Amino acid sequence: MDNVHENSTHLFGLVGRNISYSFSRGYFSDKFQKLQLTGHHYTNFDIQSIEEFPDVITQNPTLIGLNVTIPYKELIIPFLTSLDQTAKAIGAVNTIKITPEGLIGYNTDYYGFMASLEPHLQPHHTHALILGTGGASKAVLYALLQLGITPTLVSRTKSPDTLTYDCLSSEVMAQNTVIINCSPVGTYPNITDKPELPYSFVTTKHLLYDLIYNPEQTAFLKEGALKGAITVNGSKMLQLQAEKAWEIWNS
């Protein structure tokens, strides 16, 4: 866990595991500097288990808001006082507001994803494959339903609600022209890794979206670009969800 700034009157932070690479700390630190907000600090709370989360709250009395990342977006819910309606519907939290009434959970991932995907959508983008079943995929699923796109989850493990990678036939790939990677596969430093898709079935009709932002172009997106697909990474989504979190903390 970072050393917390003793002179901070407005403390914010990110809760996750192994998060030294995180986007949020740099983004908000720059923001505070640009806005000349003295006393505002953003720090990483790198915890190895969710059981350590209550200590983050008790040891940092000037905390105003938190972001939440892998692997705690679902595990953190029992520690919260209440959820806003969207976070409740999604079943995952990535933003927490600390209030006198307690800890309120929100989800701004779905907003960031939806607003960054929408400009790239074409009329034939009616069905989507979501790769991965963690907390981020829940927000993506919710956003796709809001956009009127039929989602299908893809996982390495078989379950009644998901397809496995070996089920991805040419027919399935042809119908699902939007493919979203919500798994961590391909994140730095493992930049040659990619989800086990039959990339030979990807065409110019496809839109490949990767929630990963480091590297900027993952092996998954490179494969899509080679086939002439539209490719989008997660950097815009991150900026949009961060701005929405900032709005919530200040409301």
Side-chain angles (χ1 to χ4, degrees):
M1 216 182 278
D2 277 4
N3 287 331
V4 175
H5 300 270
E6 282 171 18
N7 62 341
S8 72
T9 53
H10 294 70
L11 183 64
F12 303 86
L14 176 70
V15 176
R17 188 194 297 152
N18 306 333
I19 48 173
S20 56
Y21 65 86
S22 124
F23 157 91
S24 302
R25 182 167 58 177
Y27 185 83
F28 280 108
S29 299
D30 288 350
K31 189 178 181 68
F32 299 157
Q33 217 171 343
K34 279 183 199 138
L35 296 174
Q36 298 181 325
L37 295 170
T38 52
H40 284 58
H41 294 286
Y42 193 103
T43 191
N44 283 351
F45 296 104
D46 204 322
I47 58 176
Q48 290 308 298
S49 132
I50 196 62
E51 277 66 42
E52 296 171 50
F53 175 66
D55 294 341
V56 170
I57 302 298
T58 54
Q59 289 168 19
N60 297 287
T62 61
L63 256 179
I64 286 172
L66 290 165
N67 296 119
V68 185
T69 190
I70 293 171
Y72 301 129
K73 290 183 184 190
E74 295 155 284
L75 295 172
I76 207 153
I77 292 174
F79 294 87
L80 306 178
T81 313
S82 63
L83 300 183
D84 98 310
Q85 280 179 315
T86 308
K88 198 177 284 182
I90 292 169
V93 161
N94 77 315
T95 300
I96 297 168
K97 183 176 183 178
I98 292 135
T99 75
E101 291 73 46
L103 308 182
I104 307 169
Y106 296 84
N107 191 302
T108 68
D109 276 339
Y110 95 93
Y111 165 78
F113 171 71
M114 194 159 75
S116 58
L117 175 72
E118 235 173 334
H120 304 283
L121 291 174
Q122 294 172 4
H124 65 270
H125 292 139
T126 57
H127 290 72
L129 296 176
I130 301 174
L131 314 180
T133 54
S137 69
K138 292 188 163 186
V140 165
L141 182 76
Y142 182 86
L144 291 172
L145 291 170
Q146 301 285 311
L147 292 166
I149 296 171
T150 305
T152 301
L153 289 162
V154 182
S155 173
R156 283 175 300 191
T157 46
K158 215 170 178 56
S159 87
D161 307 327
T162 60
L163 293 179
T164 50
Y165 285 89
D166 50 12
C167 298
L168 301 179
S169 62
S170 61
E171 292 78 15
V172 171
M173 292 289 284
Q175 183 184 38
N176 292 277
T177 48
V178 180
I179 305 173
I180 303 122
N181 180 32
C182 297
S183 78
V185 175
T187 310
Y188 181 84
N190 306 310
I191 60 169
T192 57
D193 294 356
K194 55 184 183 282
E196 290 170 32
L197 290 179
Y199 290 97
S200 55
F201 301 140
V202 174
T203 68
T204 54
K205 285 200 154 90
H206 281 87
L207 191 171
L208 271 57
Y209 188 115
D210 205 326
L211 265 61
I212 294 168
Y213 62 96
N214 183 13
E216 209 170 294
Q217 197 185 34
T218 57
F220 165 71
L221 293 183
K222 279 180 185 166
E223 289 283 352
L226 287 173
K227 304 288 182 187
I230 299 164
T231 60
V232 186
N233 75 10
S235 58
K236 189 74 180 159
M237 171 183 171
L238 273 168
Q239 291 166 24
L240 290 164
Q241 65 80 23
E243 284 304 319
K244 186 59 84 175
W246 180 241
E247 220 174 272
I248 287 166
W249 297 331
N250 287 289
S251 63

